[in-house]
Amino acid sequence: ILTDSVFRCLPPRVKVLDLHNNRIRSIPKDVTSLETLQELNVASNSLAHLPGCGTFGSLSILIIDYNSVSNPSADFFQSCQKIRSLRAGNNPFQCTCELRDFIQSVGQVSSEVVEGWPDSYKCDYPESYKGTPLKDFHVSQLSCNTALLIVTIGVPGLVLAVTVTVLCIYLDLPWYLRMVCQWTQTRRRARDVPLGELQRALQFHAFISYSERDSAWVKNELIPNLEKEDIRICLHERNFVPGKSIVENIINCIEKSYKSIFVLSPNFVQSEWCHYELYFAHHNLFHEGSNNLILILLEPIPQNSIPGKYHKLRALMAQRTYLEWPKEK
């Protein structure tokens, strides 16, 4: 029926100490008088930890099985350099991240040192691992290292967030997402229209997109010369349907026209509505598989003057042939 206090009244030169099957719950850390102790048997007590060898500098044999050791310290083998035999099996080991380092330490010492390994070293907690040998318990370093986990998840997440932010700023992704939604809704409505009606819906030869600042040239030069050839032109000021949204009117006019003519100029670049029209016309090109875009360069457009988010205009000007209005009329 001995308890922890027994360590305070032992002969200082004792070499072999057998205290198994008692009521010892802990070994006091300030025991400094047992420097010659070589063998310690504290089996079948209530010890919760493996004692370090800072107090027992000469300890070579430790018997501590059938106790309450659940999370043995991985530093045990570092502090007990002279240990030749450890019997610590049949304890209620908690197979969690804290046990991972101890299991690795056991794997680095001779199999003759750790007696009963691996048969008597089994998980008692959690329930899903109960009865599993410690040697078969594996958990990744990532799941055990909170800082590493945060870095592993946080860094890619931060990079993704920065990338998305840069794309949103540079390419104005929300603007394009809105356009995709509008286009999808219009195409969904178009699928419900019979083919005959769709064919009759092509009412114009061309839809003209231009900046209001270039309206004088469009109305005085372009439209008169086209309409005298019996070409039916669709213009926003006379063909947009009152009550509908501007975006829906743009889509409908493009849908009802065989071609879309774009009058390009520095003024066009500065007009967001012109880019809406260019975006939808370009989508219609891929959807219908037809070459329905006609580009007219009214005035030279320096490449550096085109905002980054309007990369579609950059691509079209770089890849497609356009008509250039001559400086000398």
Side-chain angles (χ1 to χ4, degrees):
I1 59 174
L2 297 174
T3 62
D4 307 356
S5 59
V6 68
F7 288 94
R8 303 194 181 278
C9 55
L10 292 171
R13 299 185 66 79
V14 65
K15 294 184 178 181
V16 179
L17 181 60
D18 187 348
L19 292 170
H20 81 281
N21 198 21
N22 279 284
R23 299 177 182 176
I24 301 172
R25 292 182 174 275
S26 64
I27 297 176
K29 294 183 178 181
D30 57 351
V31 176
T32 57
S33 58
L34 303 179
E35 296 180 357
T36 60
L37 182 65
Q38 297 178 5
E39 181 178 339
L40 175 61
N41 184 350
V42 285
S44 301
N45 281 276
S46 300
L47 292 165
H49 303 284
L50 291 179
C53 292
T55 301
F56 314 117
S58 301
L59 189 66
S60 61
I61 299 174
L62 174 63
I63 303 172
I64 194 173
D65 50 353
Y66 295 101
N67 274 271
S68 300
V69 180
S70 58
N71 290 310
S73 173
D75 298 332
F76 173 79
F77 294 102
Q78 294 180 355
S79 65
C80 298
Q81 297 290 334
K82 296 182 180 179
I83 200 78
R84 291 185 294 105
S85 176
L86 170 67
R87 196 159 74 203
N90 300 298
N91 276 287
F93 297 108
Q94 292 189 9
C95 289
T96 58
C97 289
E98 288 75 11
L99 198 65
R100 181 173 175 270
D101 293 337
F102 174 76
I103 296 174
Q104 290 180 344
S105 299
V106 171
Q108 295 172 359
V109 300
S110 171
S111 58
E112 299 176 355
V113 173
V114 185
E115 294 189 27
W117 179 269
D119 297 336
S120 60
Y121 294 79
K122 296 182 179 180
C123 299
D124 186 70
Y125 176 88
E127 194 65 29
S128 58
Y129 284 103
K130 191 175 181 67
T132 302
L134 297 193
K135 70 178 183 65
D136 296 331
F137 171 69
H138 303 288
V139 61
S140 66
Q141 182 179 3
L142 183 62
S143 61
C144 290
N145 191 325
T146 304
L148 181 61
L149 182 63
I150 292 174
V151 170
T152 304
I153 296 177
V155 170
L158 181 61
V159 171
L160 178 62
V162 171
T163 303
V164 170
T165 302
V166 170
L167 287 174
C168 284
I169 295 173
Y170 184 72
L171 299 178
D172 199 3
L173 288 183
W175 185 86
Y176 281 104
L177 289 175
R178 290 198 305 273
M179 296 304 97
V180 170
C181 290
Q182 291 280 359
W183 175 261
T184 304
Q185 292 172 4
T186 303
R187 298 308 307 178
R188 190 180 295 115
R189 290 194 296 269
R191 282 199 298 266
D192 299 330
V193 179
L195 180 60
E197 293 185 21
L198 280 177
Q199 292 174 342
R200 287 194 299 273
L202 289 169
Q203 302 172 8
F204 306 99
H205 290 108
F207 167 71
I208 299 181
S209 174
Y210 60 93
S211 167
E212 283 298 321
R213 295 182 179 180
D214 299 323
S215 61
W217 179 85
V218 172
K219 294 176 181 178
N220 298 328
E221 296 281 350
L222 181 61
I223 294 178
N225 281 285
L226 292 176
E227 289 186 334
K228 74 179 181 180
E229 301 293 335
D230 293 329
I231 295 176
R232 296 188 302 277
I233 300 299
C234 180
L235 294 175
H236 65 268
E237 62 260 41
R238 71 186 184 193
N239 296 113
F240 275 15
V241 178
K244 289 187 177 182
S245 68
I246 296 177
V247 171
E248 189 170 359
N249 269 314
I250 293 174
I251 295 175
N252 288 336
C253 282
I254 292 173
E255 292 278 345
K256 292 178 180 179
S257 304
Y258 285 101
K259 299 285 185 179
S260 294
I261 299 175
F262 291 90
V263 179
L264 306 180
S265 69
N267 296 324
F268 184 98
V269 172
Q270 301 303 319
S271 172
E272 186 169 359
W273 286 116
C274 288
H275 285 278
Y276 278 119
E277 294 165 350
L278 180 64
Y279 179 86
F280 289 127
H282 194 249
H283 260 277
N284 196 51
L285 179 150
F286 285 106
H287 182 79
E288 301 294 341
S290 60
N291 188 8
N292 64 342
L293 297 185
I294 297 176
L295 306 180
I296 299 176
L297 186 63
L298 181 61
E299 297 177 17
I301 303 176
Q303 282 290 318
N304 57 11
S305 69
I306 303 177
K309 67 179 181 179
Y310 298 143
H311 62 92
K312 201 173 295 292
L313 177 59
R314 289 173 178 265
L316 285 173
M317 292 189 66
Q319 299 170 6
R320 299 180 67 86
T321 302
Y322 51 82
L323 304 175
E324 188 170 355
W325 183 253
K327 294 180 181 179
E328 296 181 2
K329 297 182 181 180

